[in-house]
Amino acid sequence: MNMQMKLHPIKLKAPFYLTGGGAGLHRYLDPDFVNRFRQDVASGHLTAVNFDGWQNEERHSQWDNRPVLRLPTHRTFHLVCCEAVCDQLGLPALDPQKITSAGFVIRRITPEGEQAWMLEGGDAIGWKPAPQNPGDPDLDRRLCANGLLGNRTSNPSFTGEQTHPLHTLGSRDSKGKLHTLLFGYLPLGGFRYHRDATSAVNSESLEQASKLDAESLRWPFGFQDGTGDHWQDTDALQVSSGQPTLAFLDLIRVLADRYRLGTPGTPENKYLETLCANIWFHDRPRHLDFLSGKPGPEQEDMLSRYHRQTLLDYLRDCFQQPENPLVAWLDQQDERSQSGAEPSPLPDSNGSGLLRWHLTLSQEQAYGFRHLLGQRYQELVLDQAREIPVAKFGDGENDVYRVVPFLRARNENGREQIIWADETSQTETFRVASPLDPEASRPSLIPIPGMRDLKRGMAKGASLLTPSDTFAMLKRLRPKKGIGEDLMGAEVPQTGIQWILVFSLPVITLVAMILLMVMVSLLNLIFFWLPWVKIYLPFPKINR
């Protein structure tokens, strides 16, 4: 017996109100788009309008003439619609009672072939080659050889190609013929995270970035300006009576600012911490200065009696202070470097004075810094890349998409089968706009207050709940003194009571507008962008 003959012949086609092409794409510019679509179908409006009009408006891609679909952030929403019919003479409407579920998938069309957005255990794993067999997108459903779907024995997390639902809608055309439409919202968002950190970035690019990072530090901790790469005895002394070399200044900035070495709860710094725990500040007497360039084993034994604090303990003590003295010191060094001055002595870890100790390195310890800093940099980059969401839709040259509908229905024997839309019943290919695409943006009307509104009534609007310590700091500000040392006034006693700062919305709006115009004009000296930034139009009043 041929079981295939018992399958109910079903077909997906373009909706009846379209004269040709595949499944329809509808654009709506208001959030009530579902009800609007239902009303358009019931009223016959879709057969009377130029259906392709909006698509012609959106053909502004820099790559080709395909329509570019806007995002919900552009206050634009899209629907997909197709029609389910019996594949018989006259294509009668499929009985909605036989439809168990319907949906669609979004395929990415690349020169290498179609790609599907795949999920594993409910988590997105990204674009993968689309399945070649016309099976069910849900891999937990069994597709039998005769085209029937077996019952699911469990309810695991979804694994397979991501699907989006289609809903049934009955309608009649102008001749009274019944049609079964399938429609659904087309979501143009989504993202995924890289599961494997090494696959998150290009290996060649990572190598170039690592080299660039190493060149940002001076020898013996890096290879800035192509110098170094050969150890000399003078490289050993990095801090003399609290005075750091420029190379050690760069090292401290990286350890304290970037990696927060010395703060608790940072196990990723354990190898750097081990290295710094064996590097000592010391206060050797003058007659031992000749050892500064020869920190070998014997010399280190002689110097050990003068050890005062390890570099790791110094950083830890600094971070334990209410105000880390290294932070203010590093800011001061930025100002000194701009004027060409040498670094000032390091601050004492308790913030009470200046450090007067020395610090020497061995060749092996300097190499350890170069190696561990490079390793730590790559770990940090990969950790960051793993947490960066990768958007589902791009706007590159090969980012072309189309919608492929499907449905599951019961045949005469009560068994479920799946039917996919063929190429003639799928949507046309399209692109997706980027969030900042200027061609996809829609005007956003922000009314600017009139001058008479600036001094009316009490300040009502933006309210900021301010803790007592923050409010005391704000009270110290003296803007009339300008940006400088006099900006902060004397200490203000804290009352222990929180405050609410209330600002006038008209004033805030006008201030924001003035600051925007000032910054746009100022940065025009660099970008020359004024012809693309704003236009002035005399505009009539809008009727309400």
Side-chain angles (χ1 to χ4, degrees):
M1 180 182 296
N2 187 356
M3 294 295 296
Q4 189 68 26
M5 296 299 294
K6 288 192 174 183
L7 294 180
H8 189 74
I10 298 173
K11 180 180 180 180
L12 294 175
K13 60 180 288 289
F16 68 92
Y17 50 80
L18 291 184
T19 56
L25 286 173
H26 301 263
R27 183 193 71 175
Y28 289 94
L29 303 181
D30 62 272
D32 196 25
F33 56 92
V34 174
N35 289 331
R36 283 280 307 280
F37 173 76
R38 290 177 177 271
Q39 294 171 6
D40 290 342
V41 172
S43 63
H45 177 68
L46 294 176
T47 59
V49 299
N50 181 10
F51 183 81
D52 295 331
W54 73 267
Q55 297 184 17
N56 294 330
E57 296 174 4
E58 303 289 15
R59 299 184 190 276
H60 50 72
S61 171
Q62 59 178 319
W63 308 111
D64 50 38
N65 199 38
R66 291 184 174 91
V68 181
L69 274 56
R70 306 185 196 185
L71 303 176
T73 54
H74 301 133
R75 307 193 311 279
T76 306
F77 309 92
H78 297 87
L79 285 173
V80 178
C81 184
C82 62
E83 185 175 344
V85 298
C86 299
D87 194 9
Q88 298 174 355
L89 183 63
L91 298 178
L94 176 66
D95 183 2
Q97 298 298 323
K98 292 188 176 183
I99 300 177
T100 57
S101 61
F104 65 88
V105 298
I106 303 174
R107 296 282 173 84
R108 183 169 179 253
I109 313 301
T110 68
E112 294 77 23
E114 284 193 1
Q115 293 182 337
W117 186 260
M118 303 299 292
L119 306 179
E120 184 176 320
D123 296 329
I125 59 176
W127 295 106
K128 303 296 179 182
Q132 298 299 317
N133 62 313
D136 197 282
D138 185 352
L139 297 184
D140 288 303
R141 289 176 175 264
R142 297 195 308 274
L143 180 62
C144 301
N146 59 4
L148 301 180
L149 296 175
N151 294 326
R152 299 179 67 171
T153 58
S154 62
N155 188 28
S157 299
F158 186 89
T159 297
E161 185 174 2
Q162 186 179 37
T163 63
H164 308 282
L166 289 174
H167 311 279
T168 59
L169 176 63
S171 178
R172 294 184 180 274
D173 58 22
S174 59
K175 298 180 181 180
K177 182 180 178 181
L178 182 64
H179 298 272
T180 300
L181 298 179
L182 302 175
F183 75 97
Y185 170 62
L186 176 59
L188 296 177
F191 59 88
R192 73 180 180 96
Y193 293 102
H194 285 282
R195 294 185 172 186
D196 181 12
T198 56
S199 67
V201 296
N202 179 272
S203 57
E204 182 178 349
S205 177
L206 177 61
E207 183 178 351
Q208 294 176 353
S210 300
K211 181 180 178 182
L212 184 64
D213 185 67
E215 292 174 351
S216 66
L217 296 176
R218 294 176 173 86
W219 178 264
F221 307 112
F223 305 96
Q224 189 178 97
D225 301 327
T227 59
D229 203 20
H230 181 70
W231 178 264
Q232 299 179 6
D233 291 343
T234 55
D235 295 328
L237 183 62
Q238 290 296 316
V239 179
S240 177
S241 299
Q243 181 86 22
T245 63
L246 291 174
F248 194 78
L249 169 62
D250 293 340
L251 176 67
I252 286 294
R253 180 178 284 110
V254 170
L255 295 179
D257 283 354
R258 179 189 290 180
Y259 301 126
R260 293 293 190 269
L261 192 71
T263 58
T266 53
E268 55 273 12
N269 288 334
K270 62 180 180 179
Y271 296 114
L272 280 171
E273 289 179 349
T274 301
L275 176 61
C276 292
N278 292 289
I279 298 176
W280 289 83
F281 287 102
H282 55 83
D283 58 350
R284 65 169 180 266
R286 287 292 183 180
H287 67 276
L288 295 179
D289 280 351
F290 71 95
L291 296 176
S292 61
K294 304 175 182 180
E298 296 180 1
Q299 290 79 5
E300 284 295 344
D301 288 341
M302 190 176 299
L303 290 173
S304 62
R305 71 188 66 179
Y306 302 105
H307 287 172
R308 292 296 173 259
Q309 189 178 34
T310 67
L311 178 57
L312 177 61
D313 289 336
Y314 173 76
L315 293 172
R316 283 176 174 171
D317 290 348
C318 287
F319 276 107
Q320 288 176 357
Q321 303 302 317
E323 296 291 339
N324 189 335
L326 269 181
V327 174
W329 180 81
L330 288 172
D331 288 341
Q332 295 173 4
Q333 306 320 301
D334 291 338
E335 298 177 2
R336 293 177 64 89
S337 64
Q338 293 175 2
S339 61
E342 292 292 324
S344 60
L346 287 163
D348 192 80
S349 58
N350 58 19
S352 61
L354 299 178
L355 202 67
R356 296 302 180 186
W357 298 330
H358 318 283
L359 185 142
T360 54
L361 292 175
S362 66
Q363 183 177 359
E364 291 75 17
Q365 289 170 332
Y367 171 79
F369 271 119
R370 295 195 299 273
H371 174 71
L372 293 178
L373 287 175
Q375 186 180 58
R376 183 71 182 89
Y377 167 77
Q378 291 200 11
E379 292 175 354
L380 180 62
V381 168
L382 294 177
D383 287 344
Q384 293 286 334
R386 189 168 48 227
E387 296 181 2
I388 295 176
V390 181
K392 178 179 180 179
F393 297 98
D395 59 346
E397 183 177 4
N398 294 327
D399 291 315
V400 178
Y401 309 92
R402 71 177 167 203
V403 171
V404 183
F406 68 90
L407 67 80
R408 304 182 184 97
R410 301 280 183 189
N411 62 11
E412 290 85 346
N413 296 327
R415 302 296 298 274
E416 192 178 42
Q417 64 187 88
I418 186 168
I419 299 92
W420 287 90
D422 57 26
E423 291 190 5
T424 63
S425 303
Q426 301 169 6
T427 66
E428 70 168 300
T429 55
F430 58 87
R431 295 183 177 274
V432 178
S434 68
L436 300 180
D437 186 346
E439 297 287 349
S441 300
R442 296 179 59 201
S444 297
L445 185 61
I446 302 176
I448 298 297
M451 298 303 295
R452 66 179 184 276
D453 297 327
L454 301 181
K455 298 181 181 180
R456 291 177 54 201
M458 298 176 59
K460 298 178 182 179
S463 302
L464 307 179
L465 186 61
T466 312
S468 175
D469 54 350
T470 305
F471 184 76
M473 184 272 294
L474 295 176
K475 291 285 287 183
R476 294 177 57 196
L477 292 176
R478 299 188 295 180
K480 293 183 179 180
K481 297 293 184 179
I483 302 299
E485 296 180 356
D486 296 331
L487 178 61
M488 300 299 292
E491 290 288 343
V492 176
Q494 299 184 25
T495 62
I497 300 175
Q498 60 184 2
W499 294 75
I500 284 186
L501 305 181
V502 184
F503 291 90
S504 166
L505 280 182
V507 172
I508 289 179
T509 306
L510 188 60
V511 169
M513 181 64 180
I514 294 174
L515 289 177
L516 174 64
M517 299 301 293
V518 170
M519 293 304 300
V520 164
S521 300
L522 181 62
L523 293 177
N524 183 60
L525 299 174
I526 302 174
F527 299 108
F528 303 101
W529 58 14
L530 275 185
W532 295 272
V533 171
K534 66 180 186 298
I535 57 174
Y536 291 103
L537 290 175
F539 205 75
K541 289 185 177 181
I542 299 177
N543 293 326
R544 300 297 181 185

